[in-house]
Amino acid sequence: MTMFVRAASIATLAAVLLSLGACLQTAPPPVDPYLGLLPAGQTVTAAPQGFPIAAKGKSVGIVLSVSTEKQMEFLDKLVKQIKANPMYVYRADYEEASQPQFIITSIVNKLKQHFGRTEILQDFRGVAASKVDYVALIDLAVEMPREFRYYYQYDLKVDILNSALQRIGTLKGFGHESYYCIPIDCALATQLKSMKRAVAEFDAAADAALR
């Protein structure tokens, strides 16, 4: 369940990064979402069948991409930096106000609506042992506000694969919202709007593809 803990860092950071004048590092660029998750020598190919698929009563294993993990680790460190720096404004209740875990939890809940059983997997090596019918690979890329760049962006891609690790298709959600006001409440509202737009697009795609 570590993915849900890490997901909270996204929401925390989004709540406190306003028009800060500090020179903060940028998040690492996204990498191949399958990096480090496949058995040695194995690659992902296209499945013979695309969407829609019969999900009702079937099982799905949920995997968080390595690319997402790296961004989560970056955000964990950045949140600690913000909390420790007296120049930054931070309140503990920001975490609650910004709905930590919102995106990852929303994805999992939507998959639970369609599939009969969901299981969290560390990587694809556990697919055979868990005997799931499908695999969902969650890949999330996030952009946060910085100097002269006041927006939140969530680029969500969830690959659905069969038990042979052939890619059936990708469910996508994208949220990009800019803001031009200083108060923390304004930034929080913009951040939530961006998150909810990405989730809404993903939900619509999942409803159309998973029968």
Side-chain angles (χ1 to χ4, degrees), residues 59-63 117-135 163:
S59 57
V60 62
I62 301 172
V63 180
R117 176 173 66 89
T118 60
E119 182 174 342
I120 306 299
L121 304 177
Q122 293 300 313
D123 54 39
F124 291 157
R125 298 175 183 86
V127 171
S130 62
K131 297 181 179 180
V132 293
D133 300 301
Y134 297 99
V135 179
S163 58

Side-chain angles (χ1 to χ4, degrees), residues 54-60 111-119 133:
K56 187 176 181 180
K58 301 293 185 177
S59 57
V60 62
L111 294 175
K112 286 181 177 179
Q113 289 178 14
H114 288 282
F115 289 95
R117 176 173 66 89
T118 60
E119 182 174 342
D133 300 301

Side-chain angles (χ1 to χ4, degrees), residues 10 65 68 71-72 103-104 138-142 154-156:
I10 291 181
S65 76
T68 303
Q71 293 195 61
M72 296 293 189
I103 286 187
I104 302 299
I138 300 175
D139 189 44
L140 177 63
V142 180
Y154 296 85
D155 190 4
L156 170 63

Side-chain angles (χ1 to χ4, degrees), residues 60 67 74 81 158 176 189:
V60 62
S67 180
F74 163 79
Q81 175 186 348
V158 180
H176 177 104

